[in-house]
Amino acid sequence: MSSIYDQVIAAIQQHWRAHDNKYPQKIVLASAQHHSLMDIRRIGRTALAATGEIEADRFMGTALEIDDTSPGIVVSIDGVRTALAG
């Protein structure tokens, strides 16, 4: 199983291909998924010696929403909801 980071990156890239390089409206994650995504981002920033805080409400230009009833979805530019691939 791929990490939540890989799943979100793949979903954004797939959306770009399907929608002429436009970003999705948002990505909806459960709290545990969001926490894992933030942890992976912190590790990456530490490895790159990056400074500053991580945006907890955005990822690669896409809004992040937390909803514990969500299995992890992408809401496309046209409102279609698609589950993250795992």
Side-chain angles (χ1 to χ4, degrees), residues 67-83:
D67 179 352
D68 283 327
T69 64
S70 174
I73 62 168
V74 176
V75 180
S76 72
I77 195 84
D78 56 6
V80 174
R81 295 172 177 262
T82 306

Side-chain angles (χ1 to χ4, degrees), residues 43-80:
I43 291 166
R45 291 179 61 82
T46 300
L48 297 172
T51 58
E53 291 296 315
I54 296 170
E55 288 182 294
D57 62 341
R58 297 197 74 72
F59 181 73
M60 290 187 62
T62 303
L64 294 175
E65 181 179 304
I66 300 170
D67 179 352
D68 283 327
T69 64
S70 174
I73 62 168
V74 176
V75 180
S76 72
I77 195 84
D78 56 6
V80 174

Side-chain angles (χ1 to χ4, degrees), residues 16-49:
W16 286 339
R17 286 190 295 273
H19 298 282
D20 197 30
N21 292 322
K22 292 182 176 77
Y23 285 87
Q25 287 183 35
K26 62 185 172 181
I27 296 171
V28 184
L29 302 172
S31 296
Q33 292 170 313
H34 184 265
H35 182 74
S36 294
L37 180 63
M38 295 301 110
D39 283 348
I40 293 168
R41 291 177 73 190
R42 280 187 201 92
I43 291 166
R45 291 179 61 82
T46 300
L48 297 172

